[in-house]
Amino acid sequence: MALRANRGQQVLQSNAIVAVDVVLFTVRPKTEIEQAWQVLLVQRDDAAFVGKWSLPGVLVHADETFDAAARRALQTKASLDAAGWYLEQLGTFGHPSRDTRGRVVSVAHVALQRSDELTLVPGSDVLRAEWVPVRWVPAESLAFDHADMLRVAMQRTQSKLRYSWVAFQLLPEKFTLPELRSIYAAILDPALLRLNTSNFKKAFAELFASGALVPVGQRATAGRVGRPADLYAFCGPLGGTWERELPWQMERDLHAPAS
Amino acid sequence: MALRANRGQQVLQSNAIVAVDVVLFTVRPKTEIEQAWQVLLVQRDDAAFVGKWSLPGVLVHADETFDAAARRALQTKASLDAAGWYLEQLGTFGHPSRDTRGRVVSVAHVALQRSDELTLVPGSDVLRAEWVPVRWVPAESLAFDHADMLRVAMQRTQSKLRYSWVAFQLLPEKFTLPELRSIYAAILDPALLRLNTSNFKKAFAELFASGALVPVGQRATAGRVGRPADLYAFCGPLGGTWERELPWQMERDLHAPAS
DNA sequence: GCAAAAGTGTTCATCGTACACCCATGG
DNA sequence: CCATGGGTGTACGATGAACACTTTTGC
C-alpha cells in the first residue's frame, strides 16, 4: 500500500517476488504405458535447496511476460528451445510460507511437447535434468510446493485432453491412430489401449468431417508384426486447440468432493 | 535475481506488486433472462483512474493468502462479508504494461453468490458499487485489463456450470426447479427456459439418486398464475462442487479457434 | 371455466459400445 | 500358413429430446 512519488507518476512499492515454474509433460513412445507419461524435473544446484528435485522455473524479469519467462525457464534450465510449443498458464501458487526466502509467488504453467527429438542439457543452477514418469515422481521430496503444482497440472492436462485436441501436440507431423490412442491411454487410462480402431476413430469424426484430420495416404513402416497402420496429419491451427467433448468417460470419480 | 543476506537466511529481492481482483457473479431473479447474469463493479475513487469502473481488488498483504485477500477486497470495496462464499482462482494477469504504476501482477478470482439478501455499500476508494448485467458492461472503459478478466471469468463460469454443480451456489437453501433452470438459462443460454421439467430433472438424476438433491415436500408460495413449483434442497458439501457432465450442450462453438 | 405454469410418463432418434469379419505384415 | 496387430462395418443398448397429458394456481 506504500506509495511514493516518482517523476510525478504514482508508483507502487514492490511487495513480492514473482516467479514462473513450468510443468513440461511428454509421452514417450516405446515405453510401458503406465510409465509413458513423463514430466521434466531438474535437480537444483541453487544456493538454497541443493540436491532437491524441482520443476524448472525462473524469476520473472521486469519487462517480461509470463509466457516468455516460462519459455526462458526451459531454455536456461534444460537448454530446450520452447518457441512455438504448447504452453498455457496453470495457476498461481502464493501461500505466504511456500518459500522461506520471502514472499515468492509462482505462476505455474503447463507445456506439452513430444520429446523423441529432444536432448536435455542441465543449465544454470541445475545438476541434472531428466524425464520422470509422473507416477514415479517422489512427490514428498520435491522442492517448495511443486508436488501440488504437479498434481494440479496432471488433473488439468487430463481435463484438457478430454475437452480439446491438445493430444496432437504430443505427436509428430505424421502419426498413426494407434499412436494417437497411446497418448490418450498414457494420460487418461491404460484401458483405452483396448479400444477398437473403429470406435476410437468415431471420436474424431468431427475432425475428419472438417478436414482438420486427414489421412496422408501412406502406411507406417512396419518394424514389428501385424499390419502397418495408416498415417494421418493434423491440420488444425498450430499450437491451437478446439473445444470438444470426448465420448469415453473413464475412471469417473463422481461423488468425490472437489478440492 | 539480486540476493542479500539477512540474519544468515537467504532473501530474495521483491520484483513486483501482487494484487487480487474478484469477479463476483450473481444471477438476479425477477429480471429479464438476458440481464439476469450480473457482475459486481466498483467506480474507482483511487488516486489513479478516478471515475473508472473496475473489478474490486486489493494489494496482497505480506502474510495473507490470495483467498483471504480476495474476500478482503469484497469487504473493503463493497462491505460484503464473503466468508463461506464460493471463490476460486481464475488466473493471473501480469502483462508488463497492464498498469502504469509499476509491474503489477493481479491474481484474478471468480466468486458466485446469490444477491437477493445483499446490500452494496461503497467502501474505501470507491465512489459506487453496483451490479451490472454482464452483457451491458462497458468493456472498453473498464480500468486496466479488467475487460479481459471479465471475459475469461465468463467463459470459465459457463464451463464450470457444465462440469460441476456450482449453480446451487446461486440459490437459497430451498429453491424450485424452475429457479434452478433459470440459473442455467441466464448463464448458458436463454433457450434453456424452454426445457421441460421432466427433461431438466433427468439431468440431475445422479444427485437425486445419491441423496444430494432432495425434495423438501413443500410448495413455493404462488404469487403468480400457474401451479406452484415444488421446493428442493441441495445437501452437497457447502461451498463444494462435484464434477459432472451436463447432457445438454448448448451453443456449441466448435470449429472456433481457442484463445 | 380458461389460460398459464409445473410436473409426469412415453416415444423416438441418436450415439457409444461390443463384436464379428477382413487386411497386411513377420516369422 | 499362422499369429499378431490394424481397419471396416453392423447390431444392440443406453440416453437425450420431443411431446402428449395431468395437476394446480390466478383471473
Side-chain angles (χ1 to χ4, degrees), chain A residues 10-18 48 60-62 64 89 92 96 101 103 206 241-243 245 254 256 258, chain B residues 10-18 48 60-64 89 92 96 101 103 206 241-243 245 254 256 258:
Chain A
Q10 184 188 21
V11 169
L12 297 173
Q13 183 90 35
S14 294
N15 64 352
I17 304 107
V18 174
V60 177
H61 288 169
E64 185 183 43
Q89 189 185 117
T92 301
R101 296 169 297 175
R103 183 67 193 265
E206 296 175 21
T241 57
W242 286 297
E243 295 285 324
E245 207 52 48
L254 301 175
Chain B
Q10 184 187 21
V11 168
L12 297 172
Q13 184 89 36
S14 293
N15 63 352
I17 303 108
V18 174
V60 177
H61 288 168
D63 197 42
E64 184 182 43
Q89 190 185 116
T92 301
R101 296 170 298 174
R103 183 66 193 267
E206 296 176 22
T241 56
W242 285 300
E243 293 286 324
E245 211 46 52
L254 302 174

Side-chain angles (χ1 to χ4, degrees), chain B residues 78-234:
Chain B
S79 303
L80 295 172
D81 179 14
W85 290 9
Y86 176 85
L87 177 73
E88 69 158 4
Q89 190 185 116
L90 174 68
T92 301
F93 295 70
H95 195 277
S97 60
R98 66 178 290 277
D99 193 322
T100 57
R101 296 170 298 174
R103 183 66 193 267
V104 180
V105 164
S106 178
V107 185
H109 288 69
V110 172
L112 301 177
Q113 180 64 14
R114 70 190 180 103
S115 56
D116 47 344
E117 292 178 349
L118 297 180
T119 50
L120 302 177
V121 180
S124 65
D125 295 335
V126 169
L127 292 174
R128 289 191 292 175
E130 284 182 10
W131 295 114
V132 181
V134 293
R135 304 179 217 288
W136 283 8
V137 172
E140 297 74 20
S141 61
L142 286 189
F144 313 111
D145 49 7
H146 286 190
D148 292 330
M149 285 187 191
L150 177 59
R151 189 163 28 76
V152 176
M154 288 174 63
Q155 290 174 340
R156 174 81 138 259
T157 301
Q158 289 181 325
S159 296
K160 267 281 175 181
L161 224 64
R162 278 186 273 253
Y163 307 137
S164 73
W165 305 112
V166 277
F168 296 104
Q169 302 292 333
L170 294 165
L171 291 171
E173 320 295 314
K174 299 177 182 177
F175 54 88
T176 66
L177 289 188
E179 284 172 344
L180 179 58
R181 183 178 51 196
S182 71
I183 299 292
Y184 285 91
I187 296 181
L188 291 176
D189 186 355
L192 287 177
L193 277 190
R194 313 208 156 202
L195 260 186
N196 194 335
T197 313
S198 170
N199 292 335
F200 184 75
K201 207 171 178 178
K202 281 180 194 166
F204 300 89
E206 296 176 22
L207 287 187
F208 283 113
S210 68
L213 184 56
V214 292
V216 173
Q218 300 174 343
R219 289 271 170 81
T221 55
R224 64 198 177 294
V225 287
R227 170 178 173 175
D230 297 342
L231 284 174
Y232 293 84
F234 181 65

